Amino acid sequence: AQTVTQSQPEMSVQEAETVTLSCTYDTSENNYYLFWYKQPPSRQMILVIRQEAYKQQNATENRFSVNFQKAAKSFSLKISDSQLGDTAMYFCAFMKASGGSNYKLTFGKGTLLTVNP
Amino acid sequence: NAGVTQTPKFRILKIGQSMTLQCAQDMNHNYMYWYRQDPGMGLKLIYYSVGAGITDKGEVPNGYNVSRSTTEDFPLRLELAAPSQTSVYFCASRETDRGRARAQPQHFGDGTRLSIL
């Protein structure tokens, strides 16, 4: 079974600064996907960024980027130029992608990020 | 552009009552999922379906039932509501992978907040 660990229950950052959220995972699979989802106070689950394990290049989406270290099983999220609207709970999630997968997500417990003005 | 629609958004039940949480998606996705999110926690998988007529248990299926008679709908049934089932429930759907393409994420509904008193 896969596990996902987010070791930072809460973090805060000043507006316009950069913050990094940590995520590690444990799996024996070689083919998988990793995701960061954002959950603002509205409670919606919003996809932030995705990474395929077979790709060495780190994914980027505008101000969001990841540092994917496959050997270390680490998948951190960097948010640059933080904005007040980034205040949310952030979840790291693992998805097995091998043949016969049901593509379910295994979530970490989340990191509550607060962006201060 | 409806995506995944969950109804109701809020509900209060008495212990022992039953109810059905509705979930519908208009994206023709084969994969559908039900998760629950307890306070301060990540999401845990209750049930999932890989296509019409096929369902299977997730991590926390006890006290719930599902059916998948059509591709669009995936209702979750609580037969005898218990206080331990107080939670926020999320339905999600996912497109089938096509070869070694970009990781397909799960798309989430807005959630149903359920309180059992």
Side-chain angles (χ1 to χ4, degrees):
Chain A
Q2 286 70 230
T3 58
V4 178
T5 302
Q6 293 179 249
S7 58
Q8 305 150 316
E10 294 186 38
M11 294 190 72
S12 63
V13 64
Q14 291 299 121
E15 196 175 5
E17 293 187 347
T18 295
V19 64
T20 298
L21 279 58
S22 300
C23 173
T24 59
Y25 58 94
D26 187 24
T27 184
S28 58
E29 301 291 333
N30 190 51
N31 189 14
Y32 53 88
Y33 306 135
L34 295 163
F35 302 88
W36 280 97
Y37 280 87
K38 167 185 177 181
Q39 188 178 43
S42 66
R43 209 176 61 209
Q44 290 178 299
M45 291 292 288
I46 302 166
L47 177 68
V48 175
I49 200 164
R50 66 187 104 175
Q51 175 79 43
E52 295 82 3
Y54 68 85
K55 290 185 178 178
Q56 292 187 341
Q57 186 174 9
N58 290 323
T60 62
E61 291 283 348
N62 301 312
R63 297 183 295 106
F64 299 88
S65 62
V66 298
N67 183 4
F68 173 50
Q69 301 289 329
K70 190 173 184 179
K73 297 180 182 175
S74 171
F75 183 60
S76 60
L77 173 69
K78 185 171 84 170
I79 306 174
S80 304
D81 186 25
S82 297
Q83 300 176 358
L84 296 178
D86 295 334
T87 292
M89 182 73 86
Y90 287 81
F91 291 100
C92 178
F94 174 100
M95 180 189 285
K96 175 182 168 183
S98 304
S101 171
N102 55 36
Y103 301 104
K104 72 181 183 78
L105 286 168
T106 300
F107 286 88
K109 291 185 177 180
T111 296
L112 178 61
L113 176 67
T114 302
V115 180
N116 299 307
Chain B
N1 254 12
V4 179
T5 303
Q6 290 185 238
T7 55
K9 294 191 181 304
F10 304 95
R11 184 74 183 269
I12 298 174
L13 283 182
K14 294 183 179 179
I15 296 172
Q17 286 185 320
S18 61
M19 78 163 293
T20 299
L21 281 64
Q22 301 292 343
C23 175
Q25 52 93 8
D26 62 357
M27 298 173 282
N28 201 33
H29 287 172
N30 282 330
Y31 296 90
M32 295 189 75
Y33 308 85
W34 274 106
Y35 295 89
R36 60 177 286 173
Q37 183 181 26
D38 297 327
M41 302 292 286
L43 282 66
K44 292 189 176 180
L45 183 66
I46 305 172
Y47 269 96
Y48 67 95
S49 170
V50 301
I54 307 170
T55 63
D56 208 345
K57 296 177 179 178
E59 301 173 68
V60 289
N62 291 343
Y64 307 95
N65 277 301
V66 293
S67 59
R68 184 95 183 272
S69 57
T70 66
T71 298
E72 294 77 18
D73 300 300
F74 190 40
L76 177 71
R77 178 87 177 160
L78 282 72
E79 290 294 350
L80 289 171
S84 61
Q85 293 177 303
T86 293
S87 191
V88 179
Y89 291 84
F90 287 95
C91 179
S93 72
R94 183 185 187 270
E95 187 177 354
T96 303
D97 273 354
R98 292 184 179 82
R100 214 179 196 193
R102 196 171 185 200
Q104 296 298 323
Q106 290 186 13
H107 300 267
F108 286 83
D110 289 343
T112 295
R113 182 178 294 276
L114 181 63
S115 295
I116 298 162
L117 307 175

